[in-house]
Amino acid sequence: MPELPEVETVCRGLATVLEDRVLQRLDLRRKDLRFPFPIGLAALVEGRRITSVRRRAKYILIHLDDGGVLIGHLGMSGRMLIGPAEGMVLETHDHVVFHTDHGMAVRFNDARRFGFLDYARAEDLQRHKLLAELGPEPLGNAFSGPVLAEKLAGKLSPIKAALLDQKIVAGLGNIYVSEALFFARLLPTRLAGTLSGAQAEKLVTAIKDVLTRAIAAGGSSLRDYVQTSGELGYFQHQWAVYGKEGEPCPGCTCKTGIQRIVQSNRSTFFCAKRQR
DNA sequence: CGGCAAACCTGCGAGC
DNA sequence: TGCTCGCAGGTTTGCC
């Protein structure tokens, strides 16, 4: 999926067409994605004005003027595509279409259907099952070295797995965890509870830095991901280690170069010399 | 409770 | 050309 930088990019794109517009029609072209759509969802939101589009972790929050909130998630392969409703051509896997009162349409396309669309009342959002347990936003002030160190204390899982745990920090995914660990010079296999305070501090800095740079680049475009505009993000050209098995390490002159291992069934990329 | 594999679903590239 | 296999950005579930 789209990890935090990609979702942030999508939210910014959605905000430009949806904010302050009336959601005239919500076209649900099937009954479910990962989960069934809430019963009567379209009738619940049609005619409401959209007040804001926000991101929390990898969730898209579309706030309505009656206190309702549409909660979207892109899963692994979800995309939001914006264009004029007139002459719009629906493509395979366009499962939901948002129509605004100024003739624009947003197509929620998701080949693998790991994404979803849910609904909550704004006052219940913090208690929503999907949002209640989330850890701090990595780019927020609440995410610091001491905070991360405290969350990792005593953990016996590899730091790679801990950073993918959205309860520890919210929004990192498989790509940016490999990248952040490389810049923090920490082996992905290091047990989370063994980091020193200084290492936790350095890791927080690396996480904030890589996410900030990725957002500035409009995210990373892989096969399934494009910005709402249909343009490609270009951060994938700035990856240091992700997807670079066998290539030279960008940080040292070791012979081995970048290695790939599998942790929790997912690929991890790192340099065994530079990361300890 | 903690940690890990498997499951959800489709598409694509590599290799034969 | 066409098949099979492995792999893909996430998250939940269930097993040990």
Side-chain angles (χ1 to χ4, degrees):
Chain A
M1 150 194 172
E3 304 181 32
L4 185 151
E6 291 73 36
V7 179
E8 178 65 27
T9 301
V10 166
C11 284
R12 290 179 186 184
L14 289 178
T16 64
V17 281
L18 295 183
E19 281 188 359
D20 300 323
R21 306 310 319 190
V22 170
L23 180 55
Q24 214 155 50
R25 192 157 67 88
L26 182 69
D27 184 11
L28 302 169
R29 307 184 52 75
R30 49 180 298 132
K31 63 176 178 16
D32 61 8
L33 282 175
R34 177 174 189 159
F35 310 124
F37 298 127
I39 295 164
L41 178 62
L44 208 52
V45 300
E46 283 175 352
R48 302 316 332 168
R49 192 171 291 275
I50 293 165
T51 54
S52 66
V53 180
R54 294 286 149 76
R55 178 190 60 74
R56 167 73 172 116
K58 299 170 195 169
Y59 296 91
I60 298 167
L61 305 176
I62 301 173
H63 288 264
L64 308 173
D65 64 356
D66 65 345
V69 185
L70 280 164
I71 305 170
H73 196 292
L74 299 173
M76 293 274 259
S77 55
R79 296 180 293 163
M80 294 287 187
L81 299 158
I82 295 171
E86 192 176 317
M88 172 180 68
V89 179
L90 287 175
E91 294 173 32
T92 312
H93 309 306
D94 281 345
H95 303 307
V96 177
V97 186
F98 302 75
H99 288 268
T100 72
D101 62 339
H102 66 324
M104 294 296 281
V106 174
R107 291 178 288 133
F108 183 176
N109 182 291
D110 185 5
R112 295 174 74 179
R113 304 204 302 275
F114 289 170
F116 60 83
L117 191 62
D118 199 3
Y119 177 90
R121 303 293 309 169
E123 61 270 25
D124 299 330
L125 210 47
Q126 303 304 320
R127 289 187 298 274
H128 190 281
K129 189 172 184 287
L130 300 164
L131 305 176
E133 305 273 287
L134 291 174
E137 282 291 320
L139 293 176
N141 292 333
F143 185 58
S144 64
V147 166
L148 178 61
E150 208 248 304
K151 285 178 172 285
L152 297 181
K155 281 199 83 70
L156 296 173
S157 55
I159 186 65
K160 158 82 189 288
L163 292 180
L164 284 176
D165 182 348
Q166 304 293 297
K167 294 193 283 293
I168 290 178
V169 55
L172 292 178
N174 207 39
I175 294 175
Y176 295 105
V177 166
S178 273
E179 293 295 302
L181 287 171
F182 174 78
F183 290 110
R185 302 193 61 168
L186 290 168
L187 276 180
T189 49
R190 266 284 290 276
L191 297 192
T194 68
L195 267 63
S196 69
Q199 288 174 322
E201 192 74 52
K202 187 168 180 176
L203 180 52
V204 165
T205 303
I207 289 168
K208 288 177 187 278
D209 181 64
V210 72
L211 293 179
T212 301
R213 288 189 293 116
I215 290 170
S220 301
S221 295
L222 284 82
R223 188 160 40 236
D224 292 329
Y225 169 76
V226 284
Q227 300 186 40
T228 46
S229 59
E231 291 172 23
L232 303 176
Y234 48 89
F235 191 72
Q236 68 276 14
H237 302 303
Q238 296 177 49
W239 290 343
V241 293
Y242 186 83
K244 295 190 177 292
E245 181 181 19
E247 293 186 31
C249 169
C252 70
T253 55
C254 67
K255 283 205 181 128
T256 316
I258 302 305
Q259 292 176 260
R260 171 184 177 272
I261 57 172
V262 174
Q263 293 177 284
S264 309
N265 265 357
R266 313 197 64 192
S267 293
T268 305
F269 299 88
F270 68 103
C271 169
K273 176 96 184 289
R274 191 163 171 80
Q275 295 170 248
R276 300 287 176 170

